[in-house]
Amino acid sequence: MRSFTAGIGVLIFAAGVTAGTAWSPRVGAQSFAVAMDCGVASAPQIRTTLYFGLARPKGTVSELEWQIFLRDEVTKRFPDGFTVWEAEGQWRTPGGSIDHERSKVLLVVHPDSTQARQSVTEVIASYRRMFEQESVLWESARVCGAT
């Protein structure tokens, strides 16, 4: 009787596993696309923040050089406006010590478009070339923007 009960139990378990996998929908990888409901007073936008270090191999980027860069490189690509503020960056060097650098932070809110992303990459490339920089930190987030 025990073997009969055990056999019935195994059959019920197997039937449940088979039915469960057949009835449950497959779960695939989720995409990173986010549908935003910004309401009627605003629209989905991208907030891009760029961090520009001011130290370079021979000296620093002067305030005049920074203002010329904003005028010639940033304003022509983002004429609707942007915000800039000063910051102090800190990071650990490959040797393990802590290093600091004066920085400028640029915040731009723009449409999620190929043209806007291209403009961001052009601003970064221009800064790196003009001021002999290894990198510019770029972060972006989806936001709702109202005018």
Side-chain angles (χ1 to χ4, degrees):
M1 184 71 172
R2 277 192 174 164
S3 62
F4 177 73
T5 305
I8 294 292
V10 168
L11 287 174
I12 291 172
F13 176 76
V17 169
T18 303
T21 58
W23 290 338
S24 63
R26 296 213 178 258
V27 178
Q30 296 179 355
S31 86
F32 288 105
V34 176
M36 292 187 65
D37 180 14
C38 291
V40 296
S42 62
Q45 299 281 310
I46 299 295
R47 180 186 65 227
T48 294
T49 310
L50 301 175
Y51 300 81
F52 300 91
L54 298 177
R56 55 183 172 179
K58 295 182 181 174
T60 62
V61 177
S62 71
E63 186 61 29
L64 177 60
E65 290 171 314
W66 173 254
Q67 292 302 322
I68 292 169
F69 171 76
L70 288 178
R71 182 194 68 201
D72 295 348
E73 302 297 330
V74 180
T75 301
K76 75 179 182 184
R77 292 179 175 91
F78 297 102
D80 291 339
F82 52 85
T83 301
V84 174
W85 65 91
E86 293 186 19
E88 178 77 19
Q90 176 178 304
W91 68 95
R92 185 179 308 274
T93 67
S97 64
I98 299 296
D99 209 348
H100 298 267
E101 182 177 4
R102 284 185 41 245
S103 307
K104 296 281 189 174
V105 181
L106 171 70
L107 185 139
V108 183
V109 177
H110 57 81
D112 187 5
S113 68
T114 302
Q115 180 182 357
R117 282 188 297 279
Q118 181 64 34
S119 292
V120 170
T121 59
E122 290 170 357
V123 165
I124 291 170
S126 294
Y127 190 81
R128 290 183 64 200
R129 183 183 66 255
M130 291 171 65
F131 301 114
E132 305 170 77
Q133 298 292 304
E134 291 179 16
S135 64
V136 171
L137 177 60
W138 172 2
E139 67 171 337
S140 291
R142 294 185 184 283
V143 297
C144 292
T147 57

